[in-house]
Amino acid sequence: DDKMPANANAATKAAYARHENFEKLGGAFKALNDELRKGAPNKAVLASNARTINTLATGLPTWFPRGSGVEARPMSEAKALVWTDAAGFGAKASNLRAQTAKLSTAAAGGDIDAIKAQVRQTFLACKGCHETYRQEKKS
């Protein structure tokens, strides 16, 4: 059972909020990719999801206050390395923000090929962080 305890402290609340934010980020990325697979993608849907992705990515570094790892939420997938290698994690988060900003700009411009190319770069930024700072939990 992965329910936030009623008496949750700030770090525990942050861990659960982070999980929700990553769910929103993943949902927007999936919606954008699903739209791109259509014969005639709706450019407004692409732009809207890209904006959501960029907004969430901009806030991402604040989702990891000290003490919000597995000690705050046992189902957390954040490795301790997030905090012990804060500079490396910050660099990965900065790269993600740069890629999501480019994605949002491309989507606002409506060039489907440019959007597809930037989706790949954004995915690689996500993957690069996950490979180092995320552990997969089995539920």
Side-chain angles (χ1 to χ4, degrees):
D1 189 25
D2 189 34
K3 297 269 186 258
M4 184 165 56
N7 62 345
N9 64 20
T12 298
K13 287 177 183 173
Y16 281 87
R18 176 174 65 237
H19 178 74
E20 290 302 312
N21 284 330
F22 275 119
E23 291 284 320
K24 291 175 193 168
L25 188 59
F29 204 73
K30 181 185 182 314
L32 186 135
N33 277 307
D34 288 350
E35 194 62 35
L36 283 172
R37 287 187 192 94
K38 295 180 179 177
N42 181 320
K43 292 177 183 179
V45 170
L46 295 173
S48 174
N49 282 294
R51 275 193 309 275
T52 298
I53 292 164
N54 189 47
T55 298
L56 287 165
T58 299
L60 187 143
T62 67
W63 303 349
F64 291 86
R66 205 166 270 293
S68 68
V70 292
E71 67 278 13
R73 179 177 169 256
M75 291 297 294
S76 175
E77 295 177 352
K79 289 183 180 176
L81 199 56
V82 166
W83 298 277
T84 59
D85 180 25
F89 179 74
K92 297 272 190 189
S94 180
N95 179 51
L96 176 65
R97 288 192 307 276
Q99 298 307 325
T100 62
K102 289 178 186 175
L103 178 62
S104 189
T105 299
D111 179 334
I112 301 300
D113 290 334
I115 297 166
K116 286 180 177 178
Q118 191 52 42
V119 161
R120 175 96 181 119
Q121 294 308 307
T122 303
F123 169 76
L124 291 172
C126 293
K127 185 175 183 252
C129 195
H130 288 184
E131 286 174 343
T132 306
Y133 298 100
R134 179 183 182 207
Q135 58 193 346
E136 293 287 339
K137 291 280 180 146
K138 303 294 178 236
S139 46

